[in-house]
């Protein structure tokens, strides 16, 4: 096993090489500047009616619903 310090150094070098931190900073800046609406993010709007059937939302249910919403958004283009 490699020491923790070596793994941390590898991770740091990877982030620097691929400029991941710069990307995250840019995305954060964009979100703060543009403030996309909930509709653009595929989330519920304030007036959207939710049909609560009393069941817990599972990862599969969430993924399927998000896929449906993404397909609907992309179909507009």
């Amino acid at each position: 096993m490699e020491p923790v310090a070596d793994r941390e150094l590898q991770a740091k070098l990877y982030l620097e090489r691929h400029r991941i931190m710069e990307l995250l900073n840019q995305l954060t800046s964009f979100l703060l500047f543009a403030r996309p609406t909930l509709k653009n993010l595929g989330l519920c709007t304030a007036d959207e009616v939710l049909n609560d059937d009393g069941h817990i939302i599972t990862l599969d249910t969430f993924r399927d619903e998000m896929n449906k919403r993404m397909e609907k958004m992309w179909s507009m283009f």
Side-chain angles (χ1 to χ4, degrees):
M1 269 182 105
E2 296 180 3
V4 174
D6 287 345
R7 294 289 293 159
E8 288 178 2
L9 180 61
Q10 287 178 350
K12 182 181 177 190
L13 293 173
Y14 180 87
L15 292 173
E16 289 173 357
R17 183 175 355 157
H18 296 286
R19 300 170 56 188
I20 302 295
M21 296 310 293
E22 288 179 42
L23 173 64
L24 291 175
N25 285 333
Q26 289 292 329
L27 290 173
T28 302
S29 296
F30 172 74
L31 286 173
L32 293 174
F33 178 75
R35 293 185 179 192
T37 63
L38 293 176
K39 184 177 181 182
N40 291 346
L41 295 173
L43 303 175
C44 297
T45 60
D47 60 346
E48 186 172 353
V49 176
L50 301 175
N51 297 323
D52 183 11
D53 59 1
H55 292 88
I56 296 173
I57 297 174
T58 64
L59 178 59
D60 292 335
T61 305
F62 178 78
R63 184 192 63 235
D64 293 343
E65 183 63 28
M66 292 308 298
N67 285 340
K68 285 180 201 173
R69 290 173 186 250
M70 289 299 290
E71 286 177 19
K72 184 178 177 183
M73 283 192 301
W74 281 107
S75 67
M76 292 182 214
F77 293 103

